[in-house]
Amino acid sequence: MKDRHRVLFSPLNIGGRILRNRLVAPPMVQLRPITSPAGLKWYSDLAGGTGLVIVEATGVPLFGDTLSVQKLARLAEAIHGQGALAAVQLFPLAHLKEPAAPDSLSAADIILILEQFAHAAKICRDAGFDGVEPHGAHGFLINQFFMPGKNHRTDGYGGSPDARGRFAVEICRSIKQAVSDDLLLLYRHTPTGDDYSIDDSLAFAHSLADAGIDILDVSPARGRVAAELAAPFKKTLPVPVIAVGGMEDPDAASEALAERRCDMAALGRALIADPLWPEKVRDERIDEIFQCVKCNGCFEYLHAGEQVSCAQR
Ligand SMILES: Cc1cc2nc3c(=O)[nH]c(=O)nc-3n(C[C@H](O)[C@H](O)[C@H](O)COP(=O)(O)O)c2cc1C
């Protein structure tokens, strides 16, 4: 291994759970049922060289019935069997495309969602996972609560920045109350949007830390430099920070870690193109990496409703 890449492979202890290295497979919907044989194979491939795998956005209403403890335990085992920690990204609705907006949720809807997060987290714990991650990013429902342009509520969940962050904070508290420290609590946030600034996000991230998150997963909008946007969070937050988005250059990712702009680097499309990226970097076989050319063919499969894979392979 090259000395400058050594930092990518240093272990990290978070709340007594050890990531064997700093490489994370971020949540990526891939349209194979996650507990089917094809889904287990997909996730065991992603786990081969990473320290942490975050299973794709999964609707909290599905836990218990469609996704039983028994089925999910096989997924946790498939990931653990390869040596990575396993977390699940939790989505507030059954499906990503379900229409819902901050303004249309009643107080009872909010309470139900908070209960569903708590229930989903308990199922994940019982199935043997190491963590859960509310999906608070990318302009989906939880992120919309944070956006003044999308959230016009007047009931304590809208208005001031604190109020716009309240839904997310309550989700975190609800999970924490349900599973205490049995699971790591991650949170994925998009650090800047059309109508909120990085300073708004920094204050929000501090309230998430107060609510007990163990890891902040900083996921900028497409085209922004992840490690740079993660740095202000890394600088002031008391919890480790994942940077995701364009982190696939081993030298640049190593530099971001060495310069303490983030604690972990997540590789999305790069791992779809080549799940062996981590071991090829570790073994100095960088020229053997099947490089992601950012054609976004994987996204196109997703949008067409087809199983995700690398369009170049
Ligand atoms: C096919 C596909 C599915 C994705 N699904 C999710 C998802 O379920 N949840 C999420 O937060 N981000 C999702 N993302 C975004 C990735 O987690 C990641 O943030 C993004 O790909 C940028 O990282 P990269 O430049 O390393 O690919 C998805 C990305 C791809 C390519």
Side-chain angles (χ1 to χ4, degrees), residues 55-140:
V55 172
E56 68 203 71
T58 307
V60 287
L62 306 178
F63 285 81
D65 290 336
T66 314
L67 291 172
S68 64
V69 169
Q70 202 185 15
K71 282 187 191 166
L72 283 167
R74 281 186 225 127
L75 178 56
E77 275 164 27
I79 295 169
H80 287 155
Q82 296 292 325
L85 297 186
V88 183
Q89 189 181 56
L90 300 178
F91 193 74
L93 307 162
H95 302 287
L96 256 61
K97 288 184 182 158
E98 201 172 309
D103 297 358
S104 67
L105 292 190
S106 67
D109 292 333
I110 289 183
I111 290 170
L112 176 64
I113 291 175
L114 297 178
E115 288 169 358
Q116 287 173 329
F117 268 96
H119 179 64
K122 282 186 195 162
I123 301 267
C124 290
R125 175 196 59 195
D126 295 349
F129 280 90
D130 303 285
V132 289
E133 176 183 83
H135 187 344
H138 304 165
F140 288 107

Side-chain angles (χ1 to χ4, degrees), residues 26-29 57 89 135 138 188 219 244-246 268-269 298-299 302:
M28 290 184 287
V29 172
Q89 189 181 56
H135 187 344
H138 304 165
R188 180 171 264 215
S219 180
V244 60
R269 291 162 295 172
C298 49
F299 270 120
L302 179 63

Side-chain angles (χ1 to χ4, degrees), residues 198-210:
I198 203 122
D199 285 341
D200 297 334
S201 287
L202 281 169
F204 172 56
H206 278 280
S207 52
L208 294 172
D210 291 344

Side-chain angles (χ1 to χ4, degrees), residues 133-214:
E133 176 183 83
H135 187 344
H138 304 165
F140 288 107
L141 183 65
I142 305 176
N143 197 196
Q144 284 179 18
F145 265 82
F146 195 61
M147 299 173 169
K150 301 265 183 197
N151 177 351
H152 308 98
R153 298 180 71 99
T154 53
D155 63 349
Y157 289 94
S160 69
D162 271 358
R164 284 185 277 110
R166 180 174 158 193
F167 184 46
V169 166
E170 288 188 352
I171 287 172
C172 292
R173 289 214 184 103
S174 175
I175 293 172
K176 210 68 196 164
Q177 210 173 10
V179 298
S180 185
D181 293 334
D182 294 348
L183 287 179
L184 294 176
L185 178 55
L186 295 81
Y187 188 90
R188 180 171 264 215
H189 179 63
T190 297
T192 51
D194 290 344
D195 53 1
Y196 65 89
S197 67
I198 203 122
D199 285 341
D200 297 334
S201 287
L202 281 169
F204 172 56
H206 278 280
S207 52
L208 294 172
D210 291 344
I213 65 163
D214 299 290

